[in-house]
Amino acid sequence: MASPMRSLLADPDRYLQSFRLFLERSTEHQCMQEFVERQLPDVIASIGNGKSTINVLSVGGGAGEMDLQILSKIRARYPGVTINNDVIEPSADQISKYKERVAQASNLENIKFTWHRETAYEYESRVNAEKKTKKWDFIHMIQMLYYVKDVPATIRYFHSLLESQAKLLIILVSGKSGWETLWKKYGSSFPLEDLCTYVSSADLPRMLDAAGLKYQLYELPSHMDITSCFIEGDKDGELLLDFLTETLDFAKTAPPELKHQLMEELRKPGCSEVRDGKVFFNNNLSVIVIEP
């Protein structure tokens, strides 16, 4: 009998709802912001040396929250330089939120924005067809490698677009996170439908070493409060479970045995930590900075 479970990405509205709740309940953006504040200045220290224009490519820029923080650091490091910021993002909803954010921001003089409503693969195909390869001084891919078909090929392609002083920055879940544990044990039970790949920082060194690329790895501690997942019928808990399993209405459509095992797993030390009666999922991230 076919399973009634469907991929969360089949319902874009519910996916966005669950994603927003995930951001609210987790320290995802805070830990990235801390990295941008503390470590990014060193990463970008030489990307614009001697240049009057810096070209930045955001692959999967989402609603632009992290993009604008990154741009403010580049601007602070290279005052007065023109920054061309191109954004690849397939979701029209996310692009419109990004544009609203730009319209409301006050410190973006000297920054030019161009949005491309397409996937990373569509961008690559279009650029190849146009035979106009553009080189970039800084490329970043934040939490987007899960949505590409061929991770090593995608990394190789965008790495090939780097200028000589440039950097390629990738952020994704850590190989030491609860995500890694969940995916290893239960990934094959979730209805991915080709829309998502399980990839963590544990997979990247092998790929990068095989491609002969030089890189640095940073670990970012992060957690998410998933206490509500254990309250039967809790609407937020059900949304978070959808996000954790990439499954639409997981609580209602998963086979009882799978649901039982997963709920048990979520409480274990490999996934979470219990503190003061609350359950905190290990949402650690990794940053990989790749040299040209």
Side-chain angles (χ1 to χ4, degrees):
M1 196 183 100
S3 161
M5 289 166 71
R6 289 170 63 215
S7 166
L8 178 58
L9 291 161
D11 183 340
D13 287 344
R14 189 161 171 95
Y15 173 79
L16 272 177
Q17 242 184 310
S18 68
F19 176 61
R20 287 188 190 125
L21 185 65
F22 157 70
L23 288 181
E24 214 176 278
R25 295 285 169 88
S26 72
T27 59
E28 169 99 351
H29 273 176
Q30 293 88 315
C31 78
M32 288 192 215
Q33 282 160 354
E34 202 164 301
F35 175 83
V36 168
E37 283 300 317
R38 293 185 179 178
Q39 273 120 341
L40 189 69
D42 286 342
V43 172
I44 59 168
S46 59
I47 62 169
N49 283 357
K51 301 197 166 196
S52 56
T53 303
I54 295 175
N55 295 315
V56 178
L57 182 63
S58 162
V59 187
E65 184 178 359
M66 292 314 302
D67 284 21
L68 294 191
Q69 296 186 30
I70 288 168
L71 289 169
S72 80
K73 286 289 169 228
I74 296 174
R75 206 165 149 261
R77 174 68 183 81
Y78 302 100
V81 165
T82 300
I83 300 171
N84 292 322
N85 184 67
D86 278 39
V87 182
I88 301 169
E89 170 55 54
S91 160
D93 179 70
Q94 294 287 78
I95 287 178
S96 91
K97 290 199 165 45
Y98 197 140
K99 289 179 174 174
E100 280 169 31
R101 201 165 248 132
V102 167
Q104 288 159 9
S106 57
N107 56 347
L108 300 177
E109 55 274 9
N110 298 351
I111 304 179
K112 295 175 184 158
F113 290 87
T114 310
W115 287 272
H116 306 276
R117 189 188 163 192
E118 55 196 357
T119 63
Y121 180 70
E122 286 163 351
Y123 174 86
E124 181 180 345
S125 304
R126 177 174 63 77
V127 167
N128 287 343
E130 289 170 357
K131 295 188 167 54
K132 280 193 243 167
T133 303
K134 182 172 179 180
K135 294 278 186 170
W136 302 89
D137 300 302
F138 190 60
I139 300 176
H140 57 85
M141 312 163 94
I142 297 177
Q143 292 289 46
M144 61 69 66
L145 278 178
Y146 322 111
Y147 307 108
V148 304
K149 287 270 190 293
D150 186 334
V151 175
T154 300
I155 293 173
R156 279 198 307 271
Y157 171 70
F158 285 102
H159 179 264
S160 76
L161 304 182
L162 292 178
E163 290 279 18
S164 60
Q165 300 281 319
K167 296 279 195 295
L168 168 59
L169 179 139
I170 294 171
I171 300 184
L172 78 174
V173 298
S174 165
K176 302 183 176 87
S177 68
W179 294 104
E180 177 79 352
T181 306
L182 265 195
W183 292 344
K184 279 229 162 73
K185 285 204 173 174
Y186 297 103
S188 58
S189 308
F190 302 150
L192 280 188
E193 293 168 17
D194 272 356
L195 291 166
C196 185
T197 314
Y198 293 136
V199 57
S200 76
S201 68
D203 305 301
L204 284 198
R206 186 175 35 84
M207 297 176 189
L208 299 175
D209 292 342
L213 300 179
K214 290 199 326 208
Y215 57 91
Q216 282 173 301
L217 200 63
Y218 304 82
E219 282 286 311
L220 311 185
S222 172
H223 61 260
M224 164 169 57
D225 184 347
I226 59 167
T227 313
S228 59
C229 292
F230 301 93
I231 303 166
E232 196 62 47
D234 185 280
K235 288 277 178 285
D236 283 354
E238 289 182 359
L239 263 179
L240 286 177
L241 270 179
D242 284 11
F243 192 78
L244 284 164
T245 60
E246 290 278 342
T247 302
L248 190 58
D249 288 321
F250 178 84
K252 296 187 177 78
T253 63
E257 185 51 28
L258 174 64
K259 185 181 171 187
H260 174 72
Q261 287 177 1
L262 184 103
M263 300 310 286
E264 293 280 293
E265 193 66 47
L266 280 174
R267 285 184 181 275
K268 290 181 185 169
C271 274
S272 303
E273 188 186 357
V274 181
R275 289 200 307 267
D276 306 327
K278 290 188 166 186
V279 185
F280 292 98
F281 182 76
N282 178 332
N283 185 56
N284 287 6
L285 302 177
S286 289
V287 179
I288 296 97
V289 176
I290 307 174
E291 308 284 332

